Amino acid sequence: MSINPFFRSFTIVANGSIDSKPVLKGLHLRFLERETHLPISETLYAAARAIGDIQIMEIKGASDSAQVIEFPQEEERFFIVYQFIGKSAFAASGSRQLKSGQHIGCHAALGEKLICSIDRGKTWMLLIGVSGKALRSVHSEFPTLAEAPHSPLAIGYRQNNLFGKIQELKGGVYSLNVKLNYRIALLIEQYQKDLTAHLKAVNNADIALYHKAAAYIQEHYMERKLTRKQIADALFVSVRTLYRAFEGKQLTISRAIQLVRLHKARELLRNKPDESIEHVASELHFPDTQHFIQCYTELFKVAPGAERKRPR
């Protein structure tokens, strides 16, 4: 079997010898049905084509065991991966899980291996890779795609509509490549739009969560063991989601708790002159009096002892 040049860039890992006749039908990229097929397992195949700086690969079939594919990167490359059927995981600058009906964008740096792990069972997936000058143009036009990896997004009506149009493509090598480049550009543009809308929704949710967490801290600051997990559980979110709500803010969760307690300490020092500084520090759950004095002085620019002497 002659090997498609694009296949030279990746390796099927630990699948053993394969002796089977390739059958790839019903692809989104129907023209790939005429390309050389590479067996991943006895009934799971890949077909691919490179068009300048754009690489496309469709994988379809089934396997009785999990499969692993390595894509060594001779240059920086951005992938959009569409999972139509089955489950997979991609590892490159972080790990991302995909299940049926999802797609995601991910970067693979120069010299970095993009590792694709495909679960056992039926699989149908498509990868679009962009590199070289095309990648620089994509980053310039769609800056959101250059950011850190994000969560998977659902494959929606617009993507399915574009794939339907791609299935209908016909023509010779030149005209087909021109038409395909245009459709791929539309898919990348749609991913940018969906990703922007998703990030906006996440940001709005994070802002709301930040204010809910701040309100919870205001209400429960007197509890000795007020922890991140307690706050997250009370707000029905994960600790990671709670952390994300505080990212980019001036306050961490711990600092927010401490500030509320320090402001309460100032209130106590002013209104209860008979209470000792040691008692105030203990009541507000500071580990020791010296630490309390240090934090108080740093925030209010006056020591707790001097606070009581200040004119009201």
Side-chain angles (χ1 to χ4, degrees):
M1 178 187 293
S2 62
I3 299 298
N4 182 306
F6 185 44
F7 288 144
R8 296 194 187 109
S9 68
F10 74 85
T11 306
I12 311 298
V13 180
N15 290 331
S17 61
I18 298 171
D19 183 17
S20 60
K21 185 177 180 180
V23 178
L24 271 181
K25 298 295 182 182
L27 298 180
H28 280 300
L29 307 177
R30 282 183 177 169
F31 56 86
L32 288 182
E33 295 173 7
R34 302 190 297 271
E35 300 283 344
T36 300
H37 298 165
L38 183 75
I40 298 174
S41 73
E42 291 185 358
T43 52
L44 181 64
Y45 285 84
R49 177 183 289 189
I51 308 169
D53 290 332
I54 295 176
Q55 302 82 36
I56 51 176
M57 177 182 291
E58 194 157 358
I59 299 173
K60 192 173 184 181
S63 180
D64 293 334
S65 60
Q67 305 294 327
V68 178
I69 306 174
E70 292 183 357
F71 297 81
Q73 303 305 316
E74 298 175 357
E75 57 184 328
E76 181 186 3
R77 185 171 282 133
F78 173 72
F79 285 93
I80 301 181
V81 185
Y82 298 86
Q83 187 85 41
F84 304 111
I85 296 174
K87 294 181 181 180
S88 63
F90 287 82
S93 302
S95 180
R96 290 159 288 280
Q97 307 284 330
L98 275 180
K99 60 184 180 180
S100 297
Q102 291 184 332
H103 66 308
I104 196 171
C106 56
H107 280 88
L110 172 65
E112 181 180 33
K113 288 183 179 180
L114 175 68
I115 300 176
C116 172
S117 302
I118 303 174
D119 278 10
R120 59 179 295 184
K122 291 184 178 180
T123 295
W124 186 6
M125 58 196 302
L126 187 149
L127 297 85
I128 299 174
V130 184
S131 58
K133 291 182 179 179
L135 179 58
R136 291 190 288 274
S137 297
V138 165
H139 282 171
S140 176
E141 186 171 353
F142 307 118
T144 303
L145 303 187
E147 298 177 5
H150 303 287
S151 301
L153 304 177
I155 299 174
Y157 164 79
R158 292 179 177 84
Q159 286 89 357
N160 286 324
N161 186 49
L162 284 169
F163 282 122
K165 294 183 182 300
I166 289 174
Q167 273 189 322
E168 298 170 359
L169 292 180
K170 297 178 181 179
V173 174
Y174 172 75
S175 61
L176 182 60
N177 286 351
V178 170
K179 296 172 186 176
L180 184 59
N181 268 318
Y182 172 66
R183 299 299 181 191
I184 288 175
L186 292 180
L187 282 169
I188 294 172
E189 182 180 35
Q190 188 59 52
Y191 180 68
Q192 158 85 6
K193 290 179 180 177
D194 292 346
L195 183 58
T196 300
H198 170 73
L199 293 176
K200 183 177 180 181
V202 168
N203 185 57
N204 290 340
D206 285 348
I207 291 172
L209 179 58
Y210 174 82
H211 289 292
K212 287 180 181 178
Y216 186 88
I217 291 169
Q218 286 278 358
E219 185 176 350
H220 297 269
Y221 70 91
M222 288 298 291
E223 296 178 18
R224 177 175 292 278
K225 295 182 179 180
L226 180 57
T227 64
R228 301 173 183 85
K229 187 176 187 310
Q230 177 185 331
I231 298 170
D233 289 346
L235 299 177
F236 304 102
V237 297
S238 67
V239 173
R240 177 68 191 95
T241 300
L242 181 63
Y243 264 120
R244 190 181 65 204
F246 279 79
E247 286 178 355
K249 308 293 191 298
Q250 293 182 341
L251 297 179
T252 63
I253 301 168
S254 297
R255 181 59 173 164
I257 296 171
Q258 186 185 74
L259 283 180
V260 172
R261 288 173 172 171
L262 286 171
H263 279 278
K264 180 62 177 179
R266 183 165 66 171
E267 179 184 329
L268 292 174
L269 290 170
R270 289 178 173 180
N271 299 328
K272 295 187 176 182
D274 294 334
E275 286 194 7
S276 67
I277 294 174
E278 290 77 8
H279 179 78
V280 171
S282 175
E283 185 176 357
L284 293 171
H285 313 306
F286 284 85
D288 57 67
T289 304
Q290 189 57 43
H291 179 67
F292 166 69
I293 292 173
Q294 180 181 345
C295 294
Y296 191 98
T297 304
E298 181 180 326
L299 176 63
F300 297 115
K301 310 304 179 187
V302 60
E307 181 70 60
R308 285 173 165 160
K309 300 176 182 177
R310 298 178 73 176
R312 303 290 179 263

